[in-house]
Each structure stands twice: as structure tokens, then as C-alpha cells.
């Protein structure tokens, strides 16, 4: 079973990679007018029904989408299924939830991110132009997991054997998965915004084909607003409850705890900034990007640079 | 997300008052401090200030690591120490940031609480002149009733949907104003007040909490009672007195551990007898993740190891037995330790203790020794226990009064030649039951093995309050992020025998689904469905 999981993992990365190539193909060669317009229309529609009702009749038929784009989506979904298979077989092989060490943790976090992305993709096919970035993120995360953090299947050490462990880790995996995906619309918003403002340098050229900036910004906010309470529960309630039972103190400034705290504060700052009319939306979004960097730091940096009590965090 | 925007414009532009400049300065500073921008900056500072605590070892987390850091960077470390790099979270600058944030938070939420209470007790405002200027507008709905009845019906529909509704008669008909989503601000305030409670809770926990660590060996002869002198290490909060510690005694009757074939631990369990307030010993068990909860203190299982039982028979035939914990150095429980016998080889004729004849043994204990003779354990269970020891005779240096490690011999005494190694180059190998006879006829017997557990005894009086605060805070946060505040107005005017109803809607926060809600509302009013 463990072998099967490893093979599936390789296939998963390949499938995401293939999807990425197709997304990139569509991105590079697709007709700007068609995709761009459809994207704008559908996304704006999603933002406010009155617009949707006016535009409904004009929405293009799915069948007109370029083949390569549809192949990309299909590959993306295949990759998601393989990804799910990898994670499930890993769990079966270990006879427990598949999040007992860093490798499994990244695997599961990326799975949630990928599932959220697929959900958005299926509900609003026009966000497909973000696929290149979403699949790139997934390939990098899984590649890093497989190359840096791979750990053979093993059982849990007693310290991880607790209900709170299940709550703590599952909620953190789900919320960080969403927060990691949230960076995609955040970055695209900043790029698009720059493009709209007339910037024509490198990253901004990517904004040429992207949908409406306001919609991207709202999507960013929604993903963050959804994940933030979940992250609060996982990192600041379930985590301390478990730490209390296991280590005798609910909070001890272990490096993982420090960085979870930092991420939380930065995301709180994002929500504040976004709620403050005098703060520009781009500034707020930059704070969300900073939050993403702190999450990466927690996911990889802390395990590589610091030693702490979070034994599962050993990169091996 | 703009609820804050329409706070009654009290403070923004106060009339220039001629008065005490100090007072003006204070007021201005306070206004600055409680602005959202300051809150943002303080949040950032807090995040940045937390970073060094993950880079440098912290005294509050791991003292040994700090000591190692000092040893490794003898020049840099004292400099860093002056800036509290090793006590980040109790440093004045960290405290300054969170106290400012605390003040800002109070200054921010108190006026908001007042405004919110006011908003909750005032009626929804009058309809604006031109409903068609609002973001959502519908001039369609017609109803067969005359205006008064139609307006009452609209109000009834709104109230059923839990809108706060106000009906007003105007010269040309009726208007209905309705508002919903007050829970957003309620939740937001709940969240911020919960943050205040948690901050206060952290403070009280720090002041009134205490903890101690103790290494507890199996056996009723190895018990301990919860007084400071019997902790190996204790930390009392500033407002805790040593006599405040609850009175209980513990003795470990058995420690069970199981391991995977790879040596990774599978389970631990400590069986103990507990006597509280001088009562009978009662049996309890506890394990990792499942602490022993006693009145006024919890006991946590942190670690495990082995304590060989060593019996020394001196050259005059006097016997002494010691149970000596050896400290694990790796996951397979290769353990290092030392056993010292300062009071041996006392000549029964004179009754004088000769410091040159004290005995010390130092070495490693392997729960499972290999066949290759290397001093590294192969497995953490005691499957093939072995002791590798070297024997020393001479002055152990224990009388000088400087407390040394109990896990190693005094290196200075050895260097000075006051403590001499009397065994050979290679350490002596001892298995349970075996006896090692030394050159003067004295002997050391490996009499048995016991397990030990390292435990932490803790009390944090605000833990429960903190949990309640955190849960309430989360509930508030979810309300705050999911509820949306919005207003609708309806103007009912006569049209033929019936009425025409003009509707306008204003989402007061960024709420993209409001259009749907507004459309559903006007549709229901048109159709008269409940
Ligand atoms: C301990 C520090 C603080 C934390 C962790 C914190 C956290 C949060 C979070 C997560 C939100 C988002 C909820 C939402 O958008 O509805 C929020 C909203 C808000 N916070 Fe704070 N906050 C803190 C301090 C402050 C301070 C000092 C102020 C006052 C200047 C403040 C004023 C506000 C306001 C007005 C909102 C509502 C924004 C809106 O939704 O319209 N907060 N806070």
C-alpha cells in the first residue's frame, strides 16, 4: 500500500505538471478576446445577480472553449483524483489519518487547496486562466514534499495520539490549504491592477488576459475570510488544547507556535486593512501576500531551520 | 466591511477649543492611538517582534539551548542578551507593543460598544428621497390593497424575516424602513472583547501560575511530595508563594512502555499512587496526552528513561544500594549517568571517612546492547540491558559545596588528579545480576533496573477562562465575518384601487449576495407569499 501511494504520488505530480503545461498553452495561445471577455462576464455575474441576469443570454456556450483549455481542466481533475488516491492509500498504509509527519502534512494541505481550486473551477469555468498559477503552486508544493520532506510510512508517536490532534491538524490543513490557494487571486489582482494602471513590465504582462480586478479582489477576500476563523480554531484553540494535555502548557512559544501566531496576526491585519476605507485595496492585498509568505515559512522554513517540540515537523 | 465609516461624526473635526495644551496633546495622542491605522501598525509590530523568538533559543522554552548558544557565541550572546533576545516574550519591548495594542483595543471597542448599543436602540432611519439612487432599486411591485394595508403587509413580511422594521406615514402614502445584520457588529465586538479577556487571562496566568519538574523513579521508596524542595526545578509566578502549592504526594508503582519494531514509542503509561492532603494513597494512571488532574495541579508525563539499581560493597564489607537515573541521549534510550558513593570505605575501627577513598562510577546504560560491543542501544525496551562503566576512586569533590551535575563526575577533580580512574582503558561490561570486583576487594553489583518518568507539575489558574474567551471570540469572529448589515426601504403610494411599491436596498458592508436577497424580497412582496 505504501508503495502504491508513492507511485500514485509520482503520477499526481506528473498529472498536475501536464495540466500546467496545457493551462500554459491556452494562456499563451488562447484568443484574448474570447476568454478574457467570458471571464469578466461570468465573474462579474457571480458577484451580483442583476448583472448575471442581464448577461445570461449572452454567456458563451461551453463547447466553444478551446480544446487545450478543456484538456487542461480534465488533466487537473485527473490529478486531483490521483492526489486523493495518494493521500488515502498513504493513510491506509499507515492505518491512521495521513498527517503524521511533514510529508503527509503537505500532501493533505495541498489536497485541500487543490479541491478548493477544483470547486471554484467547476462552479465558474471562467477562472480557468488562473489554472496555470494554481497548478504551478501545487507542483511546487508536492515536489518539495516528495524531494525534501519524504518520510517512510510509520505509526504515530504517543504524543500525536489524541483527539485534539485530529481536530488541530485537520483544521489547520484545511485552512492553510485555502489560504495557500488564496494567494493565487491575490497575486493576480495585484498584477491585473498594475496592468490596468498602465504598467507593462514583466509580471504585469500576465495581467493582460485576466478577469476583472475587483472580482479577483473579492475572491481573495472571501477565501481569506472563510479560512481565517478555521485557522483560528485550529491554531489558537485546538492546538493549545492539545498542547495543554500533552506538554502541560497551552502556549509555549515553540517555533511552530511563534509562526502560527505571526501568520494569524498578519491575516488579522489583512482583514483590518481591508475593512478600513482609508487603506487601499492593493495595500491590503499585499498584506495577504505577506501572510502567504509567513505560512510558507511555517510550512517549510520552521522545519528546516529550527528545532522544536512539533516532532512531526521533522523534515527527515 | 464599512460599518465603522458611519459612526456618528463626533470626533473627526472637533471645534478648536482653547484650553490646556497638555490636555489637547493627551487627547490627540489618544485619538491617534485608537485609530485603525495605529491598530494596523501595532499588529504588524507584534508580528515582527515575535520573529526573533523563533530564531534565538528562549529561556522560557529551553534553558539548555540558551546555555549552548552562549557557549557557541561567547561574544555575541551577551550583547543579544542586553536586548532580551533570549526572553523575547517577556521583554519590555514586546510588552510595550502588546500593552499599546491593549490600550488601542480598549480605546477602540468602548466607543464602538456605545455606538452599537445606540444603533440597537434606535429605529431604522427614514427613507431617502430618491430610492432609485440606491445600489439596488425596484419600482415594480404592485399590490391590490390600498396603501395602508399594503404597507402593513410589507412590514409583516419583513418582520417575519427578522428585519427590524419601522412603518411611517407620509403625506402621499407610507414608507417602511428596515434593517438587518446587527449581529455583525455584535460579533465583532464580542471578538475584540474576547481578545481583551484572553490578554488579561495570559497576565493572570503568568502571575498566579507555577510549575515544577521532577524525575520520578518507579518504587514506593522513590515517591515525592509536592513541595518546592522536592522539585528538580520550579518556576513560581510572581504572586505565588511556595506555601500555596497544593499538598499531595506521588509514587510511581509502575511505568509501562511499548515500542514499534523500529523503536518508535507506541504507548506509555504511568501507574501511580496519589495521596492528597495527607489522605490514603489511591491508584491512578496517566499518560502522554492524558495528564493526571488533581485539585490545584495537573501532572504531565514528559519523558522516560532507566534507572539502574547499583549495590556497592566496600572493602570493609559495608553495603550501599542506589537507584540512579541515567539520562537518555537518543531515541533508543542509550543513557548516560554516574553513581557516586562518597560515604564508603569508612574504617570501622576509626569511624573516619577518608576522602581519598570515595568511589564513583561513570558510563552508559543500554536497554538493548548489541553484539558488536558498541556503546549504542539498539532498541528502547530493556531486552538485553548492559552497563558500560569506568570506576574512579578519590575525592569526588562533593564536599566543596559547589553543586555539580549529578549525571557526570567532577572533571576538575579528575584533572587535578584527586579522582583517579582505577579501571582499565575499556569500560567494564555489567549485565543484571553481575558483580564487578575491584582491586581492593570492594565490588559493584548491577542489582536491577527500574524505569523513571520525567513529569511536570503545573497549575495555571486562568486556563479555563482562556478557553471560554477563545471560544466566544471565535463565535464572534464567525458572526462578524458572515453576517452582513443591510437596509431596505419601501415607499407605498396609491395606484388606482391598489398600491405601487417602490423598493430600494443598501448593503452597508461588502456583501455580494445582497442583490439576490433584495430580488427575492421584492418578488415575495409582489407575489404576497409569506
Ligand atoms: C488584539 C488585536 C486585534 C486583533 C487580533 C483584531 C482582529 C480583528 C479581526 C480578525 C477582524 C475581522 C473581523 C471582521 O472583518 O469583521 C477585526 C475587525 C475589526 N477590528 Fe480588530 N483586532 C485587533 C485590534 C483592534 C483594534 C486595536 C482596533 C481599533 C482601532 C480594532 C478595530 C476593528 C474594527 C473596527 C473592525 C471591524 C472591521 C469591519 O469589519 O468593518 N481592532 N479585528
Amino acid at each position: 500500500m505504501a508503495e502504491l501511494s508513492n507511485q500514485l504520488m509520482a503520477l499526481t505530480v506528473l498529472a498536475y505538471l501536464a495540466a500546467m503545461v496545457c493551462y500554459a498553452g491556452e494562456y499563451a495561445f488562447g484568443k484574448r478576446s474570447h476568454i478574457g471577455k467570458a471571464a469578466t462576464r461570468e465573474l462579474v455575474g457571480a458577484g451580483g445577480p442583476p448583472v448575471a441576469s442581464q448577461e445570461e443570454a449572452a454567456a458563451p456556450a461551453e463547447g466553444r472553449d478551446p480544446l487545450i483549455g478543456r484538456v487542461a481542466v480534465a488533466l487537473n481533475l485527473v490529478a486531483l483524483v490521483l492526489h486523493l488516491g495518494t493521500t488515502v492509500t498513504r493513510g491506509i498504509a499507515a492505518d491512521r489519518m495521513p498527517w503524521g509527519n511533514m510529508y503527509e502534512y503537505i500532501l493533505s494541505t495541498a489536497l485541500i487547496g487543490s479541491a478548493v481550486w477544483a470547486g471554484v473551477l467547476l462552479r465558474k469555468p471562467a477562472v480557468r486562466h488562473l489554472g496555470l498559477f494554481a497548478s504551478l503552486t501545487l507542483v511546487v508544493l508536492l515536489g518539495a514534499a516528495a524531494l525534501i520532506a519524504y518520510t517512510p510510512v510509520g505509526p504515530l508517536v504517543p504524543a500525536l495520539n489524541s483527539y485534539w490532534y485530529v481536530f488541530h491538524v485537520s483544521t489547520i490543513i484545511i485552512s492553510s490549504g485555502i489560504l495557500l490557494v488564496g494567494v493565487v487571486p491575490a497575486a493576480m489582482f495585484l498584477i491585473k491592477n498594475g496592468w490596468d494602471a498602465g504598467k507593462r513590465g514583466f509580471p504585469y504582462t500576465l495581467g493582460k488576459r485576466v478577469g476583472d480586478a475587483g472580482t479577483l479582489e473579492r475572491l481573495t477576500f472571501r477565501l481569506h475570510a472563510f479560512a481565517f476563523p478555521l485557522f483560528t480554531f485550529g491554531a489558537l484553540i485546538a492546538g493549545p488544547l492539545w498542547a495543554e494535555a500533552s506538554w502541560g502548557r497551552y502556549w509555549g512559544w515553540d517555533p511552530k507556535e511563534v509562526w502560527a501566531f505571526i501568520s494569524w496576526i498578519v491575516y488579522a491585519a489583512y482583514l483590518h486593512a481591508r475593512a478600513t476605507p482609508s487603506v487601499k485595496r492593493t495595500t491590503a492585498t499585499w498584506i495577504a501576500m505577506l501572510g502567504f509568505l509567513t505560512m510558507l515559512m511555517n510550512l517549510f522554513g520552521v522545519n528546516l531551520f529550527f528545532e522544536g517540540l512539533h516532532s512531526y515537523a521533522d523534515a527527515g | 466591511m464599512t460599518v465603522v465609516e458611519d459612526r456618528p461624526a463626533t470626533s473627526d473635526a472637533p471645534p478648536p477649543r482653547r484650553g490646556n495644551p497638555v490636555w489637547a496633546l493627551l487627547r490627540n495622542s489618544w485619538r491617534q492611538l485608537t485609530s485603525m491605522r495605529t491598530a494596523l501598525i501595532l499588529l504588524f509590530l507584534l508580528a515582527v517582534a515575535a520573529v526573533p523568538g523563533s530564531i534565538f533559543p528562549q529561556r522560557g522554552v529551553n534553558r539548555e539551548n540558551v546555555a549552548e548558544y552562549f557557549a557557541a557565541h561567547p561574544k555575541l550572546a551577551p550583547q543579544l542578551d542586553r536586548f532580551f533576545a533570549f526572553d523575547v516574550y517577556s521583554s519590555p519591548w514586546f510588552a510595550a507593543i502588546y500593552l499599546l495594542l491593549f490600550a488601542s483595543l480598549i480605546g477602540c471597542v468602548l466607543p464602538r460598544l456605545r455606538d452599537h448599543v445606540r444603533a440597537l436602540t434606535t429605529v431604522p432611519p427614514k427613507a431617502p428621497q430618491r430610492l432609485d439612487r440606491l445600489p439596488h432599486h425596484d419600482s415594480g411591485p404592485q399590490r391590490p390593497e390600498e396603501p395602508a394595508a399594503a404597507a402593513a403587509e410589507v412590514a409583516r413580511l419583513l418582520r417575519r424575516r427578522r428585519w427590524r422594521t419601522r412603518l411611517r406615514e407620509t403625506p402621499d402614502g407610507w414608507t417602511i424602513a428596515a434593517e438587518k445584520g446587527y449581529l455583525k457588529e455584535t460579533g465583532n465586538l464580542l471578538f475584540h472583547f474576547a481578545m481583551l479577556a484572553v490578554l488579561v487571562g495570559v497576565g493572570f496566568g503568568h502571575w498566579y501560575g507555577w510549575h515544577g519538574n521532577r524525575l520520578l523513579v518507579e518504587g514506593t521508596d522513590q515517591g515525592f511530595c509536592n513541595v518546592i524542595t522536592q522539585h528538580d526545578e520550579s518556576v513560581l509566578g510572581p504572586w505565588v508563594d511556595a506555601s500555596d502549592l497544593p499538598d499531595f504526594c506521588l509514587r510511581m508503582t509502575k511505568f509501562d512502555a511499548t515500542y514499534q519494531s523500529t523503536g518508535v514509542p507506541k504507548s506509555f503509561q504511568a501507574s501511580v499512587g496519589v495521596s492528597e492532603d495527607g489522605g490514603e494513597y489511591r491508584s491512578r494512571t496517566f499518560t502522554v496526552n492524558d495528564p493526571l488532574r488533581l485539585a490545584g495541579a495537573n501532572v504531565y508525563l514528559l519523558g522516560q528513561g532507566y534507572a539502574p539499581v547499583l549495590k556497592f560493597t566496600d572493602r570493609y564489607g559495608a553495603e550501599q544500594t542506589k537507584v540512579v537515573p541515567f539520562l537518555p541521549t537518543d531515541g533508543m534510550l542509550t543513557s548516560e549517568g554516574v553513581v557516586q558513593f562518597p560515604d564508603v570505605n569508612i574504617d570501622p575501627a576509626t569511624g573516619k571517612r577518608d576522602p581519598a577513598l570515595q568511589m564513583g562510577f561513570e558510563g552508559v546504560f543500554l536497554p538493548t546492547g548489541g553484539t558488536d560491543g558498541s556503546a549504542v542501544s539498539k532498541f528502547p525496551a530493556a531486552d538485553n540491558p548492559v552497563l558500560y562503566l569506568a570506576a574512579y576512586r578519590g575525592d569526588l569533590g562533593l564536599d566543596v559545596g559547589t553543586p555539580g551535575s549529578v549525571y557526570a563526575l567532577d572533571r576538575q577533580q579528575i584533572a587535578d588528579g584527586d579522582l583517579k580512574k582505577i579501571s582499565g582503558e575499556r569500560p567494564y561490561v555489567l549485565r543484571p545480576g553481575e558483580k564487578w570486583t575491584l582491586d581492593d576487594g570492594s565490588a559493584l553489583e548491577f542489582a536491577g533496573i527500574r524505569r523513571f518518568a520525567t513529569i511536570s507539575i503545573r497549575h495555571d489558574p486562568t486556563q479555563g477562562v482562556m478557553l471560554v474567551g477563545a471560544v466566544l471570540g471565535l463565535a464572534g469572529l464567525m458572526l462578524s465575518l458572515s453576517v452582513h448589515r443591510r437596509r431596505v426601504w419601501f415607499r407605498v403610494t396609491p395606484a388606482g384601487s391598489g398600491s405601487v411599491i417602490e423598493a430600494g436596498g443598501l448593503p452597508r458592508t461588502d456583501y455580494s449576495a445582497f442583490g439576490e436577497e433584495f430580488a427575492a424580497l421584492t418578488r415575495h412582496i409582489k407575489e404576497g407569499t409569506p
Side-chain angles (χ1 to χ4, degrees), chain A residues 207-241:
Chain A
K208 204 159 75 176
R209 303 234 170 85
V210 171
D212 170 52
T215 312
L216 286 168
E217 201 278 333
R218 235 169 292 134
L219 183 61
T220 308
F221 173 69
R222 285 225 218 131
L223 288 173
H224 284 85
F226 178 77
F228 185 78
L230 208 57
F231 186 68
T232 307
F233 174 76
L236 272 61
I237 295 184
L241 275 167

Side-chain angles (χ1 to χ4, degrees), chain A residues 46-50 155-162 217-218 221-222 224-226 228-230 232-233 236-237 241-250 252-255 258-259 261-262 264-266 268-279 281 287 290 297 306-307 309, chain B residues 1-2 4-5 36-37 39-40 43-44 46-48 50-51 53-55 58 60-62 65 89 94 136 191-192 195 201-202 205 260 262 264-268 287-291 293 298 300-302 456 458 460 462-463 466-467 470-471 474 477-478 481 510 512-513 515-516:
Chain A
L156 286 181
V157 295
L160 296 187
N161 196 359
S162 148
E217 201 278 333
R218 235 169 292 134
F221 173 69
R222 285 225 218 131
H224 284 85
F226 178 77
F228 185 78
L230 208 57
T232 307
F233 174 76
L236 272 61
I237 295 184
L241 275 167
W242 173 34
E244 191 279 326
S246 182
W247 299 323
R249 83 289 183 291
Y250 56 83
W253 297 111
D254 178 77
V258 172
W259 280 92
F261 174 78
I262 293 174
W264 188 74
I265 291 285
V266 172
Y270 165 66
L271 293 180
H272 271 173
R274 194 176 184 282
T276 313
S278 64
V279 175
R281 286 285 151 93
I287 300 177
L290 185 69
M297 180 64 194
F306 308 129
E307 116 183 42
L309 287 169
Chain B
M1 307 267 122
T2 46
V4 269
E5 267 179 324
M36 196 70 160
R37 182 172 289 268
L40 256 179
L43 280 174
F44 260 114
L46 192 65
V48 172
V51 175
S54 70
I55 297 174
Q58 298 295 299
V61 179
N62 193 331
N65 287 358
Y89 307 105
F94 196 75
H136 297 272
F191 170 75
H192 286 85
M195 297 302 312
V202 169
Q260 308 288 335
T262 54
V264 175
K266 205 154 58 175
S267 69
F268 297 124
T287 177
V288 182
N289 280 328
D290 183 17
R293 302 209 183 262
N298 296 324
Y300 303 88
L301 180 60
L302 297 186
S456 174
R458 289 186 170 255
D460 185 338
T462 52
Q463 230 161 245
M466 302 278 288
L467 179 60
V471 169
L474 182 66
L477 181 64
M478 286 161 67
L481 287 170
D510 189 353
S512 54
E516 267 166 58

Side-chain angles (χ1 to χ4, degrees), chain B residues 415-485:
Chain B
D416 293 348
D418 293 333
L419 185 59
K420 291 195 191 70
K421 193 169 179 181
I422 55 164
S423 56
E425 264 312 297
R426 319 191 101 245
Y428 193 84
V429 182
L430 267 176
R431 293 178 195 278
E434 289 180 357
K435 202 173 203 169
W436 177 13
T437 306
L438 302 170
D439 53 356
D440 61 353
S442 60
L444 182 76
E445 185 186 341
F446 185 1
I449 305 165
R450 295 196 196 172
R451 308 241 10 177
F452 72 76
T454 42
I455 57 174
S456 174
I457 309 111
R458 289 186 170 255
H459 178 57
D460 185 338
T462 52
Q463 230 161 245
V465 181
M466 302 278 288
L467 179 60
V468 172
V471 169
L472 286 180
L474 182 66
L477 181 64
M478 286 161 67
L479 281 179
S480 170
L481 287 170
S482 60
V483 174
H484 297 277
R485 196 141 164 217

Side-chain angles (χ1 to χ4, degrees), chain A residues 10 49 75 104 140 151 164 168 177 181 193 195-196 204 206 220-221 250 256 268 271 273 301-302 308:
Chain A
L75 279 171
E104 295 171 5
V140 170
T151 324
W164 288 114
H168 168 60
V181 167
N193 201 58
W195 172 265
D196 288 348
Y204 299 108
L206 293 174
T220 308
F221 173 69
Y250 56 83
K256 274 262 153 187
L271 293 180
V302 169

